[in-house]
């Protein structure tokens, strides 16, 4: 029996992780969980999984917690993340909150010597060097949940210590893969939320449409696998069957395949190195017939170019990219700006702020705040 704390249990990743706990009750037990705004779902989850600690990061008065759920310790506000990550003893901590909110939690969990299962890519995007240092210090590798990074991690299990010479990071291309620049610029919220292969939270779905998701994943892979950015290649693969691949010096390429189903990488992180049933459908290559590949287009998807510039610039550039993108995606989801405005705001923030230091968490949170401030400043000029 392994105990798990789930930060962001009400999200797309969090709810699937709970499905897996329910599928293997003899194997996993939830000891702590946090939600943010979706309190009705959260109450239901607490009722079902009966953790020792529960908390809503968007605080509510205790009187509003149903009486039958007061059996556990309740912590409201941001403190809930800290308690779930570091105070409640757990064999593993799944960080599946969205956005830079995950960075502090990952650091808290690592400082408390916890095995971290990482869905929240923003933690590595913004504070990669600090997170990797902390993980190295406790000698517990981060177990990736992001499907591409889980794929690479799985491929590396067959590497017998040989270093890959290249990572092939696959991308579905999102809903606008075949659209022209103009049409992408004016895409609606509904069009952008309509991902062809994956059902995910709103923020990452918008990121997949702009390919900022792939940009963030390049940074994530750079840190997780200690790989020079120029050795990470994006391969657009619309069927989302090959989840990523690694190339070795002899020319051999090892890839990981499967139907697109996040339960597979979530559970691989939970049960690593063991594999257990997930409820996922088996892969039927005959039904698929063919797999296709394209190059990422930096003109229609400037995120793929911007990320290279940020990685070259170093310092807090990736944090600025992330913070500006988070704020811009929120503005797009709120109907304030056109889809193409997201890229304009990210580039605007990077240009205005220039290089900033990233030596510690304070630097990183400062750069993040600055990026959001600039986005707010630039927003009126590109309002719809
Ligand atoms: P969702 O939006 O579905 O869920 C996010 C979770 O975080 C919810 O539990 C939400 O609570 C909570 N939350 C939101 N804002 C805050 C905050 N400020 N502080 C604390 N908690 C907060 O996101 P996903 O599950 O899709 O994604 C989670 C992370 O996993 C992201 O970093 C994403 O990039 C990554 N990821 C997701 C994949 C997917 O398939 N969904 C694939 C690969 C990576 P509530 O809903 O109660 O408000
Ligand atoms: Mg991914």
């Amino acid at each position: 029996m392994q105990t798990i704390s789930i930060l962001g249990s009400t999200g797309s990743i969090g709810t699937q992780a709970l499905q897996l706990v329910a599928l293997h009750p003899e194997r996993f037990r939830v000891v702590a969980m946090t939600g943010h705004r979706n309190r009705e779902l959260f109450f239901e989850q607490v009722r079902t999984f009966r953790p020792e600690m529960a908390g809503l990061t968007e605080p509510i008065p205790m009187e509003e917690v149903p009486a039958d759920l007061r059996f556990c310790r309740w912590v409201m506000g941001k403190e809930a993340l800290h308690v779930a990550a570091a105070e409640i003893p757990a064999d593993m901590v799944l960080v599946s909150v969205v956005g830079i909110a995950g960075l502090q939690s990952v650091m808290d969990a690592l400082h408390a010597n916890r095995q971290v299962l990482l869905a929240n890519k923003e933690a590595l995007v913004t504070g990669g060097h600090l997170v990797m240092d902390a993980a190295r210090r406790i000698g517990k590798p981060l177990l990736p949940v992001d499907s591409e990074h889980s794929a690479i991690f799985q491929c590396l299990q067959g590497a017998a210590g040989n270093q890959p010479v290249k990572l092939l990071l696959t991308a579905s291309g999102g809903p606008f893969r075949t659209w022209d620049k103009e049409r992408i610029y004016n895409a609606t919220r509904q069009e952008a939320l309509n991902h062809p292969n994956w059902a995910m939270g709103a923020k990452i779905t918008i990121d997949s449409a702009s390919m900022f998701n792939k940009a963030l994943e390049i940074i994530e892979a750079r840190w997780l696998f200690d790989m020079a950015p120029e050795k990470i290649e994006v391969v657009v693969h619309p069927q989302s069957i090959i989840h990523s691949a690694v190339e070795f010096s002899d020319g051999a390429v090892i890839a990981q395949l499967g139907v697109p189903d996040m339960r597979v990488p979530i559970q691989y992180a939970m049960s690593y190195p063991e594999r257990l049933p997930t409820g996922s459908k088996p892969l039927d290559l005959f039904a698929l017939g063919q797999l296709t590949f394209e190059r990422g287009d930096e003109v229609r998807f400037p995120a793929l170019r911007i990320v290279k510039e940020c990685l070259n610039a170093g310092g807090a550039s990736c944090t600025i990219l992330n913070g500006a993108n988070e704020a811009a995606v929120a503005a797009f989801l709120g109907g304030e700006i056109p889809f193409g405005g997201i890229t304009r705001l990210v580039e605007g923030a990077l240009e205005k702020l220039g290089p900033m230091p990233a030596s510690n968490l304070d630097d990183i949170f400062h750069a993040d705040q600055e990026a959001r401030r600039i986005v707010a400043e630039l927003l009126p000029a590109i309002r719809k």
Side-chain angles (χ1 to χ4, degrees):
M1 172 70 77
Q2 282 177 293
T3 53
I4 182 167
S5 293
I6 302 182
L7 280 55
S9 64
T10 44
S12 160
I13 297 287
T15 48
Q16 293 180 84
L18 287 174
Q19 282 171 28
L20 292 163
V21 170
L23 191 65
H24 301 288
E26 71 304 334
R27 180 65 191 260
F28 305 113
R29 184 164 64 83
V30 181
V31 286
M33 52 208 277
T34 76
H36 189 58
R37 290 209 175 116
N38 193 348
R39 58 164 100 170
E40 289 314 318
L41 174 62
F42 189 69
F43 291 155
E44 212 37 61
Q45 293 178 335
V46 173
R47 198 166 277 124
T48 307
F49 291 93
R50 307 194 71 78
E52 289 158 31
M53 178 253 151
L56 287 163
T57 36
E58 181 104 327
I60 59 167
M62 252 332 268
E63 308 82 74
E64 291 178 23
V65 173
D68 68 313
L69 300 182
R70 307 221 183 123
F71 59 86
C72 66
R73 175 176 170 199
W74 280 84
V75 181
M76 296 295 174
K78 272 194 181 162
E79 182 63 11
L81 293 175
H82 175 78
V83 174
E87 277 187 32
I88 304 292
D91 296 316
M92 23 187 196
V93 176
L94 169 62
V95 182
S96 52
V97 297
V98 62
I100 196 174
L103 175 59
Q104 187 69 55
S105 301
V106 171
M107 293 302 280
D108 287 351
L110 292 171
H111 284 143
N113 208 17
R114 301 283 191 269
Q115 174 68 67
V116 170
L117 318 187
L118 189 66
N120 176 277
K121 62 192 80 187
E122 294 90 344
L124 284 176
V125 170
T126 56
H129 57 302
L130 302 176
V131 170
M132 294 314 289
D133 276 354
R136 241 173 259 125
R137 261 201 305 277
I138 66 166
K140 289 182 182 157
L142 296 171
L143 295 175
V145 168
D146 207 346
S147 59
E148 296 79 359
H149 305 75
S150 173
I152 293 168
F153 183 72
Q154 293 180 57
C155 296
L156 291 174
Q157 305 302 306
N162 289 291
Q163 284 307 304
V165 294
K166 201 183 202 182
L167 304 181
L168 301 167
L169 195 67
T170 52
S172 70
F176 307 149
R177 181 176 60 88
T178 59
W179 289 27
D180 65 38
K181 211 168 180 283
E182 180 74 21
R183 195 171 165 211
I184 295 175
Y185 192 93
N186 294 306
T188 65
R189 187 177 186 273
Q190 204 183 354
E191 288 166 334
L193 283 172
N194 183 25
H195 197 282
N197 304 350
W198 298 96
M200 309 178 285
K203 195 261 175 177
I204 183 174
T205 305
I206 300 303
D207 286 349
S208 299
S210 64
M211 294 201 75
F212 267 109
N213 182 50
K214 214 45 58 179
L216 302 183
E217 289 183 354
I218 293 173
I219 308 169
E220 185 184 11
R222 183 252 171 281
W223 291 114
L224 267 178
F225 306 110
D226 192 19
M227 194 57 133
E230 63 274 13
K231 293 185 181 163
I232 304 172
E233 186 166 58
V234 171
V235 179
V236 176
H237 164 48
Q239 297 81 18
S240 296
I241 295 297
I242 297 181
H243 298 306
S244 278
V246 298
E247 184 180 315
F248 294 94
S249 59
D250 57 358
V253 175
I254 300 184
Q256 189 255 332
L257 285 73
V259 296
D261 185 335
M262 282 308 295
R263 288 174 301 179
V264 178
I266 297 170
Q267 185 169 279
Y268 190 65
M270 286 167 66
S271 62
Y272 171 78
E274 204 181 325
R275 292 185 187 271
L276 301 172
T278 57
S280 173
K281 276 196 300 197
L283 176 62
D284 183 351
L285 286 174
F286 302 109
L288 276 163
Q290 60 176 352
L291 302 177
T292 60
F293 308 96
E294 298 160 17
R295 256 178 225 291
D297 181 345
E298 294 183 8
V299 177
R300 290 181 307 125
F301 299 100
L304 298 177
R305 167 182 54 76
I306 298 170
V307 68
K308 289 184 187 162
E309 293 163 5
C310 288
L311 282 161
N312 279 336
S317 300
C318 293
T319 305
I320 297 170
L321 177 156
N322 182 75
N325 180 55
E326 276 190 34
V329 169
F332 171 71
L333 285 170
E336 292 177 70
I337 58 166
F339 185 76
I342 297 172
T343 302
R344 284 178 60 192
L345 288 171
V346 171
E347 287 202 290
L350 285 162
E351 217 166 89
K352 272 216 153 174
L353 290 171
M356 291 179 76
S359 321
N360 51 46
L361 281 182
D362 285 346
D363 283 352
I364 288 167
F365 291 128
H366 176 64
D368 176 67
Q369 284 307 315
E370 283 293 287
R372 289 165 199 270
R373 183 178 65 77
I374 300 292
V375 166
E377 231 175 76
L378 298 176
L379 216 120
I382 46 175
R383 229 180 261 282
K384 275 207 270 200

